[in-house]
């Protein structure tokens, strides 16, 4: 992500639960009131994932709260939303997901030049011992930083 992008939501657990191999930027097909809700930060990426069906990528289980000032135009908060990627990116993702057991996980939703974009990570699940290893490493770094700052 370059400069001038305003992050509206991020999936902080994604990097804890998965090894992120590659990150893709995708547009997202939204209805009008959904855009207003997203701009207000009313979305949850926690359980979200993306799937490939029929050479199209869809975002599933991402909750976008109905817009408060909305009316009959509000849509289902958990509806399936199409992601907009280049055809060659989709073909590459199909191969990786089918053969090597990767998942597509939404990492963040942000504004780029007024458009809502989703960054999607090509992810492989972590085992419990991987998570423990990462936590131990982070804890050691924190202790080193604390020691260094107390000395100077």
């Amino acid at each position: 992500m370059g400069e001038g992008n305003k992050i509206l939501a991020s999936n902080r657990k994604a990097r804890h639960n998965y090894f992120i191999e590659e990150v893709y930027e995708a547009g997202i097909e939204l209805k009008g009131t959904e855009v207003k809700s997203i701009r207000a930060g009313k979305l949850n990426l926690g359980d979200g994932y993306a799937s490939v069906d029929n050479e199209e990528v869809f975002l599933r289980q991402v909750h976008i709260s109905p817009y408060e000032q909305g009316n009959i135009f509000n849509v289902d908060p958990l509806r399936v939303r199409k992601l907009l990627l280049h055809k060659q990116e989709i073909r590459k993702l199909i191969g990786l997901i089918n053969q090597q057991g990767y998942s597509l996980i939404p990492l963040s939703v942000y504004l780029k030049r007024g458009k809502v974009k989703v960054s999607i990570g090509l992810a492989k699940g972590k085992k419990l011992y991987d998570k423990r290893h990462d936590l131990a490493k982070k804890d050691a770094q924190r202790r080193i930083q604390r020691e260094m700052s107390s000395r100077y």
Side-chain angles (χ1 to χ4, degrees):
M1 284 187 330
E3 290 181 38
N5 295 338
K6 180 183 176 196
I7 294 178
L8 302 170
S10 61
N11 187 352
R12 293 196 309 272
K13 274 192 159 183
R15 294 194 190 275
H16 177 69
N17 292 330
Y18 300 94
F19 292 112
I20 307 298
E21 307 277 326
E22 287 181 59
V23 177
Y24 295 90
E25 179 180 83
I28 181 170
E29 195 175 77
L30 297 168
K31 305 284 186 219
T33 54
E34 287 179 317
V35 175
K36 292 180 179 192
S37 275
I38 289 174
R39 283 177 179 267
K42 306 270 191 200
L43 77 151
N44 182 358
L45 298 174
D47 300 327
Y49 67 96
S51 64
V52 181
D53 304 325
N54 246 351
E55 292 201 9
E56 292 182 325
V57 183
F58 295 97
L59 190 61
R60 300 173 187 279
Q61 294 299 311
V62 171
H63 188 277
I64 299 176
S65 299
Y67 185 57
E68 277 101 28
Q69 286 83 41
N71 46 22
I72 58 168
F73 298 112
N74 279 340
V75 291
D76 175 26
L78 282 174
R79 80 180 183 89
V80 176
R81 297 166 183 94
K82 186 174 174 181
L83 292 179
L84 311 169
L85 287 154
H86 292 287
K87 212 169 216 71
Q88 61 268 27
E89 288 177 325
I90 295 173
R91 286 196 189 111
K92 181 180 178 186
L93 290 174
I94 289 171
L96 289 169
I97 290 169
N98 290 343
Q99 292 167 3
Q100 297 169 7
Y102 284 100
S103 303
L104 290 174
I105 306 296
L107 302 175
S108 64
V109 173
Y110 54 95
L111 283 177
K112 182 176 179 180
R113 292 191 223 110
K115 305 263 190 271
V116 176
K117 301 285 184 183
V118 182
S119 68
I120 296 205
L122 185 63
K124 210 167 212 158
K126 281 187 183 179
K127 304 279 189 262
L128 183 60
Y129 56 83
D130 291 325
K131 293 178 193 178
R132 284 192 191 129
H133 178 72
D134 285 351
L135 287 173
K137 203 161 119 183
K138 195 189 259 181
D139 191 43
Q141 281 298 116
R142 208 176 288 128
R143 252 182 291 164
I144 291 168
Q145 282 301 122
R146 202 176 299 128
E147 278 298 313
M148 295 299 277
S149 64
S150 67
R151 285 185 184 175
Y152 299 108

